[in-house]
Amino acid sequence: MTDMRKIVIAGAGAYHFAPAIFEDLFIRHHISAELWMVDAELDMAELSARGAQALAKAFGVEARFYYTTQLHKAVFSADAVILCSDFLDEGAWKKDFEALDAVGLGKQVRLRGGIGGAMQTLRALDFIADLAQQMSEECPDAPLILCANGYSGLPLARACECAQRFFGVRTLGISATAEQTRRRLSMYLGVAEDNLLVTCAGLPDFAWVTQLRDTARGVDLIPQCMKEMKADSREELSAQYIDWYGAIPAGDRVHQDEFLADTDLSPRRTVLPSSGVGLADYELRKRNLALLTVHGPMRPQGLKAWDQIRKSGLTSVRPVEVLRALWGEGACKVQSLAMPCDGALGCVAPGRFVEVSAQVDENGAQGYAVQVPIELEDVLEQISLCNLLYAEAGATGSRNALREAMECDPALAGVDLLYAEGVVSDMIEGQRDRLKRFF
């Protein structure tokens, strides 16, 4: 029991991420650990802890469990922190929309780029910076693993830059980009998902398909996919980017437009993104965790509950596998890893966070080299610099860094910079309770 590692799971009730974490900890790898389950909702934190305890007991894993709503109470002396939290704040998003719509900039209410993306970044990084600062003081050797699926409002590249570059916390991010792209293109092309080999590369939330093969037939599907998208009225935005950049947008939908200047084909209406996970889904998750707690995974009712939990999660986002690799317990391959560029993406400056397929082992992450079309190179470099500057602004509260980020932000092309600065300054003032580093 003395050799137990302390692992903190922030967002323990995360609908998409928790199943793989539990499965890897207790079923696949039997990891003896002190687990701290943290969730904004106390009931979910407790149910997650008790459900995990039932799995550990059933599979003979020695573990201790704690739960809380206060992340700062859990982090002390941690050996690793896994962050799966949701950063979408509907109240703040509404304030963004009202402020921007009032000055005729409603199209800047974006989750990722432009003024809306800047505000979302600063709010999220206020939390990330607090966590990273605490980790740097109380558990400086612990890795921080950030999980993102495109819906949670976490600006993955900027969050990683913030924690690692400005607070010295070893940070990696895992996304569902490749898995979501495979699912989307499988349906679009009518190819069985198991037969579709997909590789994506670029930046987090701004990734592109670099390989698309039907493994059953040994066929490169990129030419076919591009041709069909250009002829499909539903895929006009994808077709535009294929013409511009020679690449198919990755992800479960096209959202690369949020990082770029508005065009005639950009979506006309900005809405709060939805993960498709509603209140009923979370209530079912709680019920299943309760059944798992009472019956355990070996009895019919508990087994059925665990099976429903397991099948609701993402299969490729496995932070525990990454931790094991970093601890020297076996290398792993990650389909979509946010990591400092090590030359795998030659057009991005070394050290800036990119998203590529990679291997992780005790020496860290090593990206698999990938070539992107030359038309993408400048925009990838520009957005990566933009991510770095926004990360600096969020980590330090620097108005200068924020101004520089806005100046190079492609999503603000065509918007008067001085005017945009004034608008953002007013928005920051209106949300100062969420942006304490600026005050």
Side-chain angles (χ1 to χ4, degrees):
M1 297 289 281
T2 57
D3 294 327
M4 281 187 175
R5 288 191 171 100
K6 178 180 177 180
I7 302 173
V8 178
I9 304 171
Y15 191 83
H16 295 291
F17 304 121
I21 294 173
F22 289 0
E23 185 176 42
D24 285 349
L25 282 171
F26 309 118
I27 300 174
R28 297 179 66 203
H29 301 299
H30 296 81
I31 295 175
S32 179
E34 178 182 314
L35 275 298
W36 283 73
M37 304 294 187
V38 185
D39 200 273
E41 187 180 343
L42 185 60
D43 285 349
M44 182 61 87
E46 180 180 1
L47 284 168
S48 297
R50 296 192 184 283
Q53 188 175 40
L55 287 171
K57 181 178 179 181
F59 290 93
V61 179
E62 288 187 295
R64 292 194 291 262
F65 297 89
Y66 304 87
Y67 63 90
T68 179
T69 60
Q70 305 299 316
L71 180 57
H72 68 275
K73 292 182 179 179
V75 169
F76 180 76
S77 73
D79 291 295
V81 177
I82 300 171
L83 182 65
C84 315
S85 298
D86 189 345
F87 288 90
L88 275 180
D89 182 330
E90 292 192 31
W93 182 271
K94 184 179 179 182
K95 283 187 176 182
D96 289 350
F97 180 81
E98 291 171 348
L100 290 168
D101 194 52
V103 296
L105 290 174
K107 283 299 298 175
Q108 284 290 317
V109 187
R110 307 176 182 204
L111 187 60
R112 298 168 176 85
I115 295 175
M119 293 301 297
Q120 176 64 25
T121 293
L122 299 181
R123 288 190 295 265
L125 296 198
D126 193 68
F127 177 93
I128 296 293
D130 283 349
L131 171 60
Q133 184 170 358
Q134 184 182 1
M135 289 182 66
S136 70
E137 296 168 357
E138 298 179 1
C139 51
D141 296 325
L144 172 61
I145 309 297
L146 305 180
C147 304
N149 65 350
Y151 298 108
S152 66
L154 178 67
L156 188 56
R158 299 170 187 182
C160 288
E161 292 277 12
C162 172
Q164 178 156 309
R165 191 181 294 266
F166 296 100
F167 293 96
V169 175
R170 181 171 52 164
T171 307
L172 293 171
I174 315 175
S175 88
T177 301
E179 181 176 343
Q180 291 170 330
T181 305
R182 182 182 301 107
R183 187 174 302 138
R184 165 184 152 228
L185 295 183
S186 168
M187 295 176 63
Y188 187 74
L189 297 170
V191 177
E193 197 170 331
D194 289 344
N195 294 338
L196 205 58
L197 175 62
V198 176
T199 304
C200 304
L203 308 175
D205 297 315
F206 194 76
W208 304 81
V209 177
T210 57
Q211 180 178 219
L212 181 64
R213 293 188 63 82
D214 183 338
T215 56
R217 296 185 295 143
V219 176
D220 179 4
L221 293 176
I222 286 182
Q224 175 190 338
C225 189
M226 286 183 169
K227 182 179 179 181
E228 292 188 14
M229 285 181 167
K230 287 183 177 183
D232 188 343
S233 61
R234 301 167 302 173
E235 292 286 348
E236 285 184 318
L237 198 54
S238 295
Q240 183 177 70
Y241 292 147
I242 289 168
D243 283 338
W244 287 3
Y245 303 122
I248 299 165
D252 67 325
R253 66 197 187 288
V254 180
H255 49 62
Q256 285 76 357
D257 58 286
E258 293 195 10
F259 285 98
L260 302 170
D262 197 21
T263 72
D264 291 340
L265 295 179
S266 301
R268 294 290 92 197
R269 180 168 174 261
T270 300
V271 295
L272 187 67
S274 170
S275 66
V277 181
L279 183 61
D281 297 292
Y282 279 106
E283 290 304 315
L284 179 60
R285 170 62 61 82
K286 289 180 180 179
R287 180 175 180 274
N288 282 330
L289 284 169
L291 289 170
L292 179 62
T293 299
V294 172
H295 300 285
M298 300 303 182
R299 295 167 62 186
Q301 283 182 286
L303 176 60
K304 182 179 178 181
W306 167 241
D307 197 48
Q308 288 183 349
I309 293 171
R310 185 176 58 81
K311 288 180 179 178
S312 67
L314 293 161
T315 61
S316 63
V317 183
R318 310 198 81 91
V320 174
E321 290 276 15
V322 173
L323 289 180
R324 292 184 69 249
L326 293 174
W327 290 333
E329 297 173 9
C332 71
K333 181 178 178 180
V334 183
Q335 294 179 10
S336 297
L337 186 73
M339 57 171 282
C341 187
D342 59 355
L345 201 59
C347 59
V348 175
R352 293 185 195 161
F353 273 80
V354 296
E355 184 172 282
V356 293
S357 296
Q359 176 175 292
V360 183
D361 57 28
E362 59 190 346
N363 298 312
Q366 302 87 41
Y368 294 110
V370 64
Q371 191 73 36
V372 297
I374 193 170
E375 294 87 351
L376 269 175
E377 293 182 354
D378 285 346
V379 72
L380 286 170
E381 168 68 8
Q382 183 179 0
I383 294 175
S384 75
L385 174 59
C386 188
N387 287 338
L388 173 58
L389 290 168
Y390 277 126
E392 180 180 356
T396 65
S398 168
R399 304 264 179 165
N400 287 335
L402 180 57
R403 185 181 66 250
E404 291 176 15
M406 293 174 65
E407 188 173 0
C408 72
D409 191 340
L412 286 170
V415 179
D416 182 81
L417 182 61
L418 288 176
Y419 183 60
E421 286 178 10
V423 170
V424 170
S425 181
D426 289 343
M427 293 173 72
I428 289 174
E429 182 65 35
Q431 298 185 36
R432 61 188 302 157
D433 59 318
R434 297 176 174 91
L435 303 171
K436 59 183 179 295
R437 278 179 165 72
F438 285 86
F439 299 95

